């Protein structure tokens, strides 16, 4: 996809921000000491499993312990979430794809900092390509002339285009985008021939007995291993304004990662807070490998960004050191 096309797409999504944002939920952090007014922060999130750490922090009272009130605001696609961050309508995003992070950052570095990451490895992955159980398609080469569905937004469009290119199917497969919560029903009704998605949506389809896996873990197989998928963001404006609040939220994120690592079965019960998924199916859902703030694989993120640049998906090369925030970086903002 030419760089100009990506830039135009991003500009279109940025200017489309008049669409009303939906569902807000307060993670009501109460003061830890009498008379202590809790800090407040507006955090956007997407209905995807990469947001699990936010749900863990809210449900297990981690924000309350830090004395911070989180207003969690749900967005149906990454374009709207990024627009809201850049427009100052939210202060941060719990997790958003690097493919969405790179594009505006390459045009104007310093707009925001990323913290932590959710990555795919050989053992922890969430991306799958499915076909219907009765489909005649048995190998990816047979997708030629067919339609590939993804959920809407620039990140999955880029993922689909890059994957098709590396499978030798560039310009041979039509890409159809649809809202996340509608993708499985659209898949079942035949609106497309294969579905490229991330958890929990592949597991939902498989649990219904209507689909089978055509290509497992495609991003580590065809992009990189590990594959840095997404990260939390805070606008630089909010970091400058409320560094202590940012530090509190990040401490909660790190604690949530510890909880995920220690007992995946227990924290999976929070997935229905994020996506429309039955508790039994939530226990089958594949999960990312989470990295805490000071565990981020900077080399893998730089490699990913360099590949985007080499593929002409952005005009300027990104220095990942400037994008990725650390505790040491944050200390200079704190008293």
């Amino acid at each position: 996809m030419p760089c100009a096309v990506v830039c135009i797409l991003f500009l279109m999504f940025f200017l489309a921000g008049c669409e009303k944002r939906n569902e807000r939920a307060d993670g009501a952090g109460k003061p830890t000491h009498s008379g202590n007014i809790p800090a407040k922060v507006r955090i956007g999130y997407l209905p995807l499993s990469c947001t699990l750490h936010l749900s863990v922090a809210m449900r297990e009272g981690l924000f309350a312990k830090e004395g911070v009130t989180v207003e969690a605001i749900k967005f149906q696609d990454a374009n709207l979430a990024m627009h809201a961050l850049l427009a100052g309508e939210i202060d941060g995003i719990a997790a958003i794809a690097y493919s969405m992070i790179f594009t505006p950052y390459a045009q104007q570095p310093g707009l925001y900092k990323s913290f932590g990451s959710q990555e795919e490895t050989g053992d922890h992955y969430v991306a799958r390509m499915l076909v219907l159980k009765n489909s005649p398609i048995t190998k990816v080469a047979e997708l030629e002339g067919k339609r590939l569905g993804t959920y809407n937004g620039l990140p999955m469009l880029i993922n689909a285009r890059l994957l098709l290119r590396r499978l030798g199917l560039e310009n041979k497969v039509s890409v159809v985008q649809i809202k996340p919560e509608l993708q499985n029903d659209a898949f079942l009704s035949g609106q497309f021939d294969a579905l490229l998605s991330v958890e929990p949506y592949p597991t939902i389809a498989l649990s219904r007995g209507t689909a089978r896996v055509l290509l497992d873990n495609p991003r580590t197989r065809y992009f990189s291993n590990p594959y840095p998928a997404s990260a939390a963001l805070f606008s630089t404006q909010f970091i400058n304004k409320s560094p202590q609040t940012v530090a509190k939220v990040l401490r909660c994120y790190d604690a949530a990662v510890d909880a995920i690592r220690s007992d995946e079965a227990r924290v999976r019960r929070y997935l229905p807070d994020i996506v429309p998924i039955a508790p039994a199916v939530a226990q089958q859902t594949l999960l990312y490998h989470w990295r805490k703030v000071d565990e981020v694989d900077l080399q893998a993120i730089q490699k990913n960004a360099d590949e985007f640049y080499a593929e002409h998906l952005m005009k300027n090369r990104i220095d990942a050191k400037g994008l990725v925030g650390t505790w040491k970086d944050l200390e200079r903002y704190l008293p």
Side-chain angles (χ1 to χ4, degrees):
M1 183 186 298
C3 178
V5 174
V6 174
C7 293
I8 292 170
L9 280 171
F10 177 76
L11 182 60
M12 288 171 60
F13 292 128
F14 181 82
L15 295 176
C18 58
E19 180 171 333
K20 185 178 180 181
R21 282 30 175 205
N22 46 24
E23 303 177 38
R24 296 173 180 245
D26 288 334
K30 297 180 180 179
T32 54
H33 302 288
S34 177
N36 178 32
I37 300 174
K40 295 182 179 180
V41 58
R42 302 163 299 172
I43 297 178
Y45 74 95
L46 298 163
L48 300 169
S49 61
C50 59
T51 306
L52 180 59
H53 58 285
L54 175 66
S55 185
V56 171
M58 295 179 73
R59 288 290 297 273
E60 301 203 344
L62 301 179
F63 292 128
K65 292 176 183 177
E66 286 286 348
V68 60
T69 296
V70 170
E71 181 185 15
I73 305 170
K74 182 178 178 180
F75 292 85
Q76 287 301 326
D77 69 60
N79 308 307
L80 294 175
M82 181 61 82
H83 166 84
L85 182 74
L86 296 178
E89 296 171 7
I90 56 176
D91 307 308
I93 302 174
I96 191 168
Y98 280 107
S99 52
M100 194 75 221
I101 293 172
F102 290 155
T103 305
Y105 191 87
Q107 294 174 329
Q108 190 175 344
L111 292 171
Y112 42 72
K113 285 276 190 181
S114 72
F115 294 93
S117 70
Q118 298 82 44
E119 67 181 17
E120 290 180 305
T121 66
D123 298 324
H124 286 79
Y125 61 92
V126 300
R128 285 174 156 178
M129 185 184 291
L130 308 179
V131 292
L132 293 176
K133 202 166 187 178
N134 60 357
S135 171
I137 299 172
T138 59
K139 52 188 177 181
V140 293
E142 294 171 351
L143 288 173
E144 184 171 348
K146 301 295 194 297
R147 296 159 299 174
L148 177 65
T150 73
Y151 62 83
N152 58 338
L154 189 58
M156 283 305 290
L157 179 61
I158 290 175
N159 271 207
R161 297 293 188 193
L162 283 179
L163 180 59
L164 290 172
R165 182 181 302 176
R166 294 178 187 187
L167 291 171
L169 292 170
E170 185 178 17
N171 299 322
K172 297 178 181 179
V173 177
S174 302
V175 177
V176 180
Q177 291 203 285
I178 197 164
K179 289 183 178 180
E181 70 274 15
L182 299 179
Q183 58 187 317
N184 278 327
D185 289 339
F187 181 36
L188 185 59
S189 68
Q191 293 185 35
F192 33 83
D193 305 287
L195 172 66
L196 175 65
S197 191
V198 298
E199 291 287 20
Y201 297 98
T203 294
I204 293 173
L206 293 171
S207 70
R208 293 174 177 174
T210 58
R212 54 183 166 83
V213 177
L214 181 67
L215 182 60
D216 222 5
N217 200 4
R219 296 191 293 199
T220 63
R221 292 176 62 179
Y222 292 96
F223 296 171
S224 66
N225 187 5
Y227 175 77
S230 53
L233 292 185
F234 276 105
S235 70
T236 304
Q237 181 181 9
F238 188 72
I239 293 173
N240 290 331
K241 176 184 175 183
S242 304
Q244 291 179 310
T245 302
V246 173
K248 289 178 179 181
V249 173
L250 293 177
R251 281 195 292 267
C252 293
Y253 285 172
D254 276 2
V257 172
D258 286 333
I260 294 170
R261 291 174 179 174
S262 65
D263 194 344
E264 286 189 353
R266 179 176 62 81
V267 300
R268 275 191 175 95
R269 64 185 179 179
Y270 303 136
L271 280 171
D273 295 349
I274 306 166
V275 292
I277 184 172
V281 178
Q283 289 302 319
Q284 304 170 37
T285 300
L286 304 177
L287 296 179
Y288 286 99
H289 175 249
W290 268 262
R291 287 184 181 264
K292 297 194 284 189
V293 173
D294 274 354
E295 297 176 349
V296 173
D297 189 337
L298 191 65
Q299 184 176 359
I301 295 169
Q302 185 66 65
K303 179 181 178 182
N304 197 8
D306 288 345
E307 287 180 347
F308 267 62
Y309 179 68
E311 293 280 359
H312 307 291
L313 293 172
M314 52 193 185
K315 186 180 296 184
N316 303 312
R317 185 177 182 273
I318 285 176
D319 180 2
K321 289 182 180 179
L323 169 65
V324 177
T326 66
W327 282 116
K328 186 175 181 180
D329 293 332
L330 199 56
E331 284 176 1
R332 67 190 180 90
Y333 295 98
L334 299 174

